Amino acid sequence: MIRYTDGFSILYTFIISTLVGTLLLWLLFNTKYTIQNKVLKYRSGPFFGQIKIDEIRELQLNAKTFVGFKPALACNGIIVKYNKWNEIYISPKEVERFVIELTKVNPKIITTSNKL
């Protein structure tokens, strides 16, 4: 069966596909976490922010499920709990080193693991 599609539909589909593809590539190649001046900075494509390390109360390692803000690429990462109710899911490449650097700044951080 041959279906007629007008040029506008093709152009519209091309534009949407290009925008979605660009966003996915931006997320893939621009997701990073840095520790500077007692602040954890995160960036994942157009999404970015910072958390004062002194406000971090718990790091939940080997987290696989999470509902909420997730500037991460991996499925197995860290849930950072800070302030009273705030949480964010991140997935640094070197988890152990990342945890060590955070606990150097704030030794009061509690580290838990979901590993069976």
Side-chain angles (χ1 to χ4, degrees):
M1 174 192 292
I2 298 175
R3 185 173 171 198
Y4 172 76
T5 56
D6 61 356
F8 181 75
S9 297
I10 294 171
L11 180 63
Y12 180 73
T13 303
F14 175 76
I15 290 171
I16 295 298
S17 299
T18 302
L19 290 174
V20 169
T22 302
L23 177 62
L24 291 174
L25 289 172
W26 192 7
L27 292 171
L28 181 64
F29 292 111
N30 195 24
T31 296
K32 59 185 173 181
Y33 316 101
T34 56
I35 298 170
Q36 294 178 329
N37 302 325
K38 296 187 178 186
V39 174
L40 166 61
K41 295 181 179 185
Y42 60 88
R43 175 178 276 291
S44 185
F47 311 108
F48 60 92
Q50 59 185 22
I51 301 166
K52 292 179 184 174
I53 297 173
D54 291 336
E55 295 174 353
I56 296 175
R57 54 187 171 79
E58 183 181 349
L59 300 174
Q60 192 173 7
L61 308 177
N62 302 310
K64 291 187 178 5
T65 58
F66 180 74
V67 177
F69 189 52
K70 186 177 177 179
L73 298 175
C75 296
N76 192 8
I78 302 172
I79 297 175
V80 178
K81 297 181 180 185
Y82 61 101
N83 293 332
K84 189 165 184 164
W85 305 107
N86 299 87
E87 296 180 353
I88 188 170
Y89 182 93
I90 61 173
S91 60
K93 289 180 184 177
E94 299 178 38
V95 174
E96 288 181 30
R97 182 172 171 224
F98 193 79
V99 170
I100 289 168
E101 293 300 319
L102 285 175
T103 54
K104 279 182 186 176
V105 177
N106 181 3
K108 294 179 183 177
I109 294 175
I110 298 168
T111 305
T112 59
S113 180
N114 288 342
K115 207 170 204 176
L116 297 176

